[in-house]
Amino acid sequence: MGKFLNDFKQFAMRGNVLDMAVGVIIGGAFGKIVSSVVDDIIMPPIGWLIGGVNFSDLKFTLPTVEVIGGEKLEAATINYGNFIQTTLDFLIVAFCVFMLIKVVNKLTAKKKEEENKPAETPKAPEPSNEEKLLMEIRDLLKDKKA
């Protein structure tokens, strides 16, 4: 049992697991913000533009059912307006995640490119005037010997 707990502790303390946990928590909070933006800011003007429709009220009511004994069951509804809002929530979240992944991929590619870039070899320093003069003398002596 002790080995199992140590293995679990080692797994839970790895960087990837902690990063993922933080991402899930922030993602949940971000989802609530997006839902509020869609429900409270985006959908009301859209509903107003198409004739004062409140999307959360859009539904299709199924017929009531009478059960044995004369009792009627409450009518069930298909809330397609709520489905439209939830779909819009998803599309906004998916777009934001897509943009985030694009930025992260671009940054990691740039970093990888810099890491894989071969180090530039420094140029040999330009010979001084004294060295140039000595090279000329050497070359003249070589010519005389030949």
Side-chain angles (χ1 to χ4, degrees):
M1 185 68 168
K3 183 179 180 339
F4 176 77
L5 289 175
N6 283 337
D7 288 346
F8 179 75
K9 181 181 174 187
Q10 187 177 15
F11 166 76
M13 292 301 166
R14 285 198 328 217
N16 293 345
V17 174
L18 295 175
D19 292 344
M20 186 175 70
V22 169
V24 167
I25 292 168
I26 290 176
F30 181 71
K32 289 179 183 179
I33 291 170
V34 170
S35 292
S36 177
V37 167
V38 170
D39 296 344
D40 302 328
I41 297 174
I42 295 175
M43 295 310 277
I46 291 174
W48 178 75
L49 285 172
I50 60 173
V53 175
N54 183 356
F55 277 84
S56 59
D57 292 340
L58 294 177
K59 59 187 166 195
F60 178 74
T61 305
L62 298 174
T64 57
V65 177
E66 194 171 320
V67 291
I68 300 173
E71 190 179 327
K72 284 190 176 182
L73 293 178
E74 196 172 313
T77 60
I78 298 174
N79 302 318
Y80 64 91
N82 194 27
F83 175 75
I84 291 170
Q85 283 186 275
T86 304
T87 303
L88 192 56
D89 282 355
F90 169 77
L91 291 174
I92 291 172
V93 170
F95 178 75
C96 290
V97 169
F98 170 73
M99 295 305 290
L100 178 70
I101 297 293
K102 249 185 117 144
V103 168
V104 168
N105 285 343
K106 196 175 205 177
L107 291 174
T108 55
K110 196 175 201 180
K111 189 175 181 181
K112 252 185 192 174
E113 185 179 295
E114 288 175 5
E115 288 175 0
N116 293 337
K117 195 176 185 182
E120 292 183 22
T121 54
K123 291 182 180 179
E126 189 72 28
S128 66
N129 287 336
E130 190 175 286
E131 290 172 330
K132 288 178 185 177
L133 184 61
L134 287 171
M135 285 190 285
E136 285 178 27
I137 293 172
R138 179 197 64 200
D139 292 341
L140 287 172
L141 287 173
K142 268 186 186 176
D143 288 342
K144 280 190 174 183
K145 282 185 182 179

